[in-house]
């Protein structure tokens, strides 16, 4: 399962950034070329995060498209389909670019009452 390896790396990265703090949410941008399925990614992330500071985090997955350049008609478009054909002429002879990123965009940390210093006013 492709998503497990990806999620294991993401959990490690998030844990390093968390530095012991509880993580409540993360936003991950994944290019369409990775052919990630949202439901499979969610299950893989849950498995990879079990027993870590990330285990209760809600993960928002953002799929970014790739650019499709048609060799037949010269048209250019965007697609989230890794098996894209030209939407203008239907030709399957296309060049794909972009859509290969994997970016941890943000991490949200939870506050635990025992760990939050209180400042008198």
């Amino acid at each position: 399962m492709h998503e497990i390896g990806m999620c294991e790396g993401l959990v490690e990265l998030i844990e390093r950034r968390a530095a012991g703090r509880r993580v409540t949410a993360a936003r991950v941008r994944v290019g369409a070329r990775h052919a990630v399925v949202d439901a499979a990614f969610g299950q893989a992330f849950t498995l990879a995060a079990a027993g870590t500071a990330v285990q209760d985090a809600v993960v928002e997955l953002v799929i970014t498209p790739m650019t499709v350049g048609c060799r037949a008609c010269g048209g250019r478009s965007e697609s989230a389909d890794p098996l894209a054909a030209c939407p203008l002429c239907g030709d399957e002879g296309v060049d794909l670019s972009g859509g290969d990123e994997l970016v941890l965009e943000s991490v949200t940390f939870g506050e635990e009452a025992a760990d939050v210093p209180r400042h008198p006013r």
Side-chain angles (χ1 to χ4, degrees), residues 63-84:
I63 305 292
T64 56
M66 62 194 136
T67 301
V68 178
C70 182
R71 289 182 234 137
C73 74
R76 296 185 66 76
S77 61
E78 287 189 339
S79 176
D81 182 359
L83 302 175

Side-chain angles (χ1 to χ4, degrees), residues 2 10 17 23 31 48 53 59 61 72 83 98:
H2 169 67
L10 282 169
R17 188 171 288 177
V23 177
V59 178
L61 183 63
L83 302 175

Side-chain angles (χ1 to χ4, degrees), residues 53-109:
V54 185
Q55 73 181 3
D56 296 323
V58 174
V59 178
E60 179 185 0
L61 183 63
V62 178
I63 305 292
T64 56
M66 62 194 136
T67 301
V68 178
C70 182
R71 289 182 234 137
C73 74
R76 296 185 66 76
S77 61
E78 287 189 339
S79 176
D81 182 359
L83 302 175
C86 178
L88 302 173
C89 71
D91 195 272
E92 293 180 4
V94 296
D95 295 314
L96 304 175
S97 61
D100 55 356
E101 64 273 9
L102 175 60
V103 178
L104 175 60
E105 288 189 342
S106 66
V107 177
T108 304
F109 305 106

